[in-house]
Amino acid sequence: MDQLSRRSLLRAGGTLGAAGALAVATQAVPWTWAPAWSRPGVGSGADPHFVYDPEGDDIVARLIDRGEVPRVNEILRGWTKNSQPIPEGLPGELRDFLQRAVQLPEWTDHRLLADAVRFNEKRGTYLGVLYGFASGMMSTVIPREARAVYFSKGGSDMKSRISKTAKLGYDVGSLNAYQPDGEMAVTAVKTRLSHAAVRHLLPQSPHWVHAADEVKPISQADIMVTWHSLPTTVMRNLRTWGVPLDPAESEGFLHSWQVTAYMLGVEDQYIPNSWETADLQAQQVLDPILAPTPEGIKLADMLLDLGYNIDLTLLTRPVLGALTRFILGDQVADWLHIPREPVWSPLLETAWGPFIAIREGLLTGGVPKETYWMIDELLRQFVLYYMAELKTPITIEIPMFNNPN
Ligand code: HEM
């Protein structure tokens, strides 16, 4: 399925035109979240739906227009470590930008980042499922993101995109992520360049379906919406499942994502200062905008084939569908045309809670041994999947064109 071209997807989509018209009615909700709840506690309060990345966007647009992207990508391929000098041979304005962009915010707290590592180590078993099938699947019902992804270069390979984003999630919490020998600062800055390219390219695509108030894709508000589909959604699920959480580690996990938002170019005034204010922001900007789009339905369909062609017997379409329904609820599953699975849906609904309680040492029994084993094996297969993905470094390149078909 990941080999499908966008053309065949469009054919499969059939009624994209009519349904697309319905979807573009989805406007952004007004941003009333106060800068007082942000990291610095103050800010201009400018509406982030119209804030992008002025400096990065202009530089990348010029690179694309001058045809310099292939050479720049080639040079940047060798730039991976946070402490590595910016490679020689880049256009001066890009080099100067990267020099500044790769610096961590002055409010970075390395003690909190160490707590984040412990969080990831302890909760890694759940993170594979959550980044993949809570965050990743949720991205298909975030209309602006689904459309931006679908009509951009990487849109025909959702599996690769989701595994890259899930891997980024793991990397954010890895031992040396933001240490000098780590790679996360560079990965985030390269992602920032990729987003800048999409802002320049997508508005030129005759195919791009977008809301009337969306002049360019990937505003800072959009980035925060997606941000909430990642750490906020992970945290919400862990809480719902009753996973005991160490306050310092939760705080550390938040901090690692605050730093990541900054590194992706988000202004401090939009970055929540606590889980409470993050949740308030998510209630305002994420929860009400979730909606199906023809593009998102196709992307979700590709994502269900995550396990296709690999030797992990539980990562099948029906099981992944049941997992989506269980984690994101009936409404989202129905939007995405994911049927209820007769065995796994009831199994997850009845056994997941007790399974977590037993696994966390809060209960000693209550789930048949075979059922416990099945769910445990499912989580293990997710971890195996991502361990395989983790072996290959994320290579992020500046795209030069939209999906051409
Ligand atoms: C590219 C992560 C927000 C749309 C990427 C890549 C990563 C990433 C890792 C590189 C993937 C690759 O090279 O294949 C993130 C994170 C976000 C975020 C962590 C927020 C916390 C958004 C938002 C949108 C978006 C809000 C759209 C509204 C895209 C698109 C690409 C991209 C279209 C280019 C894919 C291509 O090559 O065609 N992002 N992203 N991203 N992102 Fe994001």
Side-chain angles (χ1 to χ4, degrees):
M1 190 75 173
D2 56 309
Q3 299 302 326
L4 274 182
S5 70
R6 195 177 140 276
R7 190 191 298 280
S8 60
L9 283 171
L10 285 168
R11 266 202 306 272
T15 54
L16 191 70
L22 183 74
V24 286
T26 327
Q27 304 288 318
V29 287
W31 181 279
T32 55
W33 189 84
W37 298 327
S38 68
R39 272 213 53 95
V42 287
S44 67
D47 184 347
H49 288 105
F50 302 100
V51 182
Y52 301 92
D53 186 357
E55 194 188 352
D57 290 354
D58 284 353
I59 292 172
V60 173
R62 281 193 287 273
L63 290 180
I64 295 173
D65 292 344
R66 290 196 304 252
E68 289 180 337
V69 171
R71 191 173 64 85
V72 165
N73 275 337
E74 179 67 39
I75 297 173
L76 287 182
R77 220 162 283 154
W79 183 51
T80 55
K81 300 283 179 204
N82 299 341
S83 60
Q84 201 178 329
I86 310 295
E88 297 294 322
L90 294 171
E93 60 173 358
L94 177 64
R95 195 199 48 240
D96 294 347
F97 174 72
L98 295 178
Q99 207 103 49
R100 273 174 284 117
V102 79
Q103 304 302 321
L104 299 183
E106 36 94 17
W107 42 261
T108 305
D109 181 333
H110 286 280
R111 188 186 49 82
L112 285 175
L113 291 180
D115 291 336
V117 173
R118 281 208 310 285
F119 177 91
N120 261 44
E121 279 169 0
K122 271 205 218 160
R123 303 297 166 213
T125 320
Y126 303 127
L127 290 179
V129 174
L130 285 171
Y131 280 134
F133 276 76
S135 314
M137 200 49 106
M138 187 180 277
S139 73
T140 71
V141 287
I142 297 175
R144 288 175 180 225
E145 183 174 357
R147 292 193 294 250
V149 169
Y150 187 82
F151 292 105
S152 70
K153 179 170 159 276
S156 61
D157 192 350
M158 191 60 177
K159 184 172 141 181
S160 147
R161 201 189 124 81
I162 290 301
S163 45
K164 276 192 195 174
T165 309
K167 179 169 157 28
L168 183 133
Y170 269 107
D171 285 359
V172 167
S174 69
L175 197 58
N176 55 358
Y178 286 114
Q179 300 289 337
D181 61 333
E183 300 191 349
M184 202 43 227
V186 172
T187 297
V189 172
K190 286 186 178 177
T191 302
R192 190 172 166 183
L193 296 180
S194 182
H195 287 164
V198 171
R199 288 191 196 103
H200 183 61
L201 293 169
L202 217 43
Q204 300 174 32
S205 163
H207 302 293
W208 183 43
V209 175
H210 59 97
D213 63 346
E214 195 179 7
V215 191
K216 282 200 275 184
I218 323 187
S219 68
Q220 298 211 0
D222 292 325
I223 295 185
M224 286 316 294
V225 170
T226 297
W227 189 93
H228 290 298
S229 74
L230 289 150
T232 312
T233 300
V234 165
M235 196 41 94
R236 283 174 165 181
N237 276 285
L238 291 175
R239 287 207 187 104
T240 307
W241 297 347
V243 175
L245 297 168
D246 176 287
E249 288 166 16
S250 307
E251 184 72 15
F253 178 56
L254 172 67
H255 191 66
S256 64
W257 275 101
Q258 288 170 324
V259 172
T260 303
Y262 174 95
M263 298 305 287
L264 289 172
V266 176
E267 290 181 18
D268 284 355
Q269 63 166 327
Y270 306 124
I271 303 176
N273 62 6
S274 69
W275 280 117
E276 288 69 36
T277 57
D279 212 49
L280 276 174
Q281 196 183 78
Q283 282 170 32
Q284 187 190 81
V285 301
L286 173 75
D287 303 343
I289 59 101
L290 298 180
T293 56
E295 298 82 9
I297 292 167
K298 290 288 136 203
L299 294 174
D301 187 61
M302 284 187 243
L303 185 51
L304 286 179
D305 281 330
L306 180 95
Y308 181 71
N309 232 354
I310 55 173
D311 198 20
L312 295 169
T313 50
L314 287 182
L315 303 190
T316 60
R317 263 184 94 86
V319 178
L320 297 176
L323 202 58
T324 304
R325 182 171 284 276
F326 174 65
I327 295 179
L328 294 181
D330 287 333
Q331 185 181 50
V332 170
D334 291 345
W335 281 344
L336 295 174
H337 305 169
I338 297 173
R340 194 177 154 76
E341 208 279 333
V343 175
W344 276 90
S345 288
L347 185 132
L348 292 171
E349 283 156 14
T350 52
W352 187 270
F355 164 82
I356 298 280
I358 297 170
R359 205 171 175 279
E360 295 298 326
L362 304 171
L363 256 187
T364 50
V367 178
K369 224 170 49 217
E370 297 72 21
T371 307
Y372 186 94
W373 180 86
M374 286 268 270
I375 300 181
D376 202 47
E377 180 59 16
L378 177 62
L379 289 178
R380 196 184 71 87
Q381 293 199 2
F382 263 104
V383 173
L384 284 179
Y385 177 80
Y386 287 113
M387 290 319 282
E389 295 287 318
L390 286 168
K391 283 198 193 119
T392 45
I394 316 182
T395 43
I396 295 172
E397 312 238 312
I398 304 172
M400 282 172 282
F401 44 83
N402 294 308
N403 232 317
N405 300 313

